[in-house]
Amino acid sequence: MFHALDELGQPHLKWLNLWSLSESLLRPGDNLTQVNYYTAFATWLPEAYATHRSYVKALQAVGVNTVFGKFKDKHVKCRECHREFTTKEEKKTDVNIALGLVVDGLHNNYDRAILISADTDLVAAVMEARRLSPHKEVFIAVPQNRLKMSHEFGKRYAITPARLGKNLLASQYTDAKGNLIVKRPAKYKPPV
């Protein structure tokens, strides 16, 4: 989701309230009971790490559960110059999403799951969730700018930038005693 939002060139959309976005995708009579955010921290990038931690705190303040993967070093060799170097690769996130979708369906934790992703690595998990729990619905919603690249999902709903803009987190969150939990990073301030 971060990369799809980044492509839009509107940084304020990255301060996205996943709870209210999910609510906006409900049908009349539906009840939203849980929202999971699957992610991993890029701890080696101090500014991005700090911003990401703020985002997670804000999501948690509105009731979103966070399920963490991790980044792992990946050693690669350049095909052209043959030099070796180390890069980072996100691990566990796709597997966590897949397991959540399948297991929650089997445990009757949803009637209708909303998967907000254009990552077609999840197509097999969606198919398996539908096969194992045929009485459950898996609704796919993707950012509009990722609609073409997500065609393997089949039927899916396009999330427009306008819908994203209507579902932003507040500028700050406090605890029950009024203590500041998190403040929106200045770079995510919406345009006036």
Side-chain angles (χ1 to χ4, degrees):
M1 186 63 141
F2 175 84
H3 299 292
L5 295 175
D6 194 43
E7 287 173 5
L8 294 173
Q10 300 177 58
H12 69 283
L13 296 179
K14 293 177 188 175
W15 197 243
L16 183 62
N17 184 331
L18 296 176
W19 188 277
S20 69
L21 176 63
S22 298
E23 281 183 323
S24 80
L25 298 169
L26 297 179
R27 296 176 302 210
D30 282 354
N31 181 33
L32 185 64
T33 58
Q34 183 172 321
V35 175
N36 294 327
Y37 172 55
Y38 297 87
T39 193
F41 285 137
T43 56
W44 68 98
L45 301 171
E47 184 179 339
Y49 180 38
T51 301
H52 197 173
R53 284 194 324 260
S54 294
Y55 182 59
V56 167
K57 285 180 186 178
L59 288 176
Q60 290 171 340
V62 298
V64 174
N65 300 315
T66 308
V67 180
F68 288 102
K70 64 180 182 175
F71 281 92
K72 186 177 177 182
D73 286 345
K74 181 178 180 179
H75 303 285
V76 294
K77 187 174 185 176
C78 177
R79 292 181 183 181
E80 293 182 19
C81 71
H82 304 290
R83 292 194 340 195
E84 293 185 15
F85 59 97
T86 302
T87 186
K88 302 285 185 186
E89 181 177 40
E90 190 172 354
K91 302 300 280 184
K92 295 187 180 180
T93 300
D94 288 352
V95 172
N96 287 337
I97 295 169
L99 284 171
L101 190 62
V102 171
V103 172
D104 282 349
L106 290 171
H107 287 272
N108 204 30
N109 291 337
Y110 66 80
D111 293 320
R112 179 176 183 247
I114 299 171
L115 175 63
I116 301 173
S117 178
D119 186 349
T120 56
D121 286 348
L122 298 171
V123 169
V126 169
M127 290 172 58
E128 193 64 7
R130 289 173 174 159
R131 185 185 73 77
L132 291 171
S133 303
H135 55 289
K136 306 291 183 185
E137 180 185 351
V138 180
F139 178 81
I140 310 297
V142 301
Q144 187 176 33
N145 58 324
R146 295 286 177 105
L147 199 57
K148 287 183 182 178
M149 70 185 326
S150 64
H151 70 277
E152 289 179 51
F153 280 117
K155 185 178 178 184
R156 59 219 183 280
Y157 175 83
I159 303 171
T160 64
R163 183 181 292 265
L164 296 170
K166 291 177 184 174
N167 290 286
L168 300 178
L169 291 158
S171 62
Q172 66 181 30
Y173 291 92
T174 56
D175 64 17
K177 295 180 181 179
N179 298 314
L180 183 67
I181 297 172
V182 64
K183 186 175 180 179
R184 177 184 60 218
K187 65 183 177 181
Y188 293 157
K189 183 178 179 181
V192 180

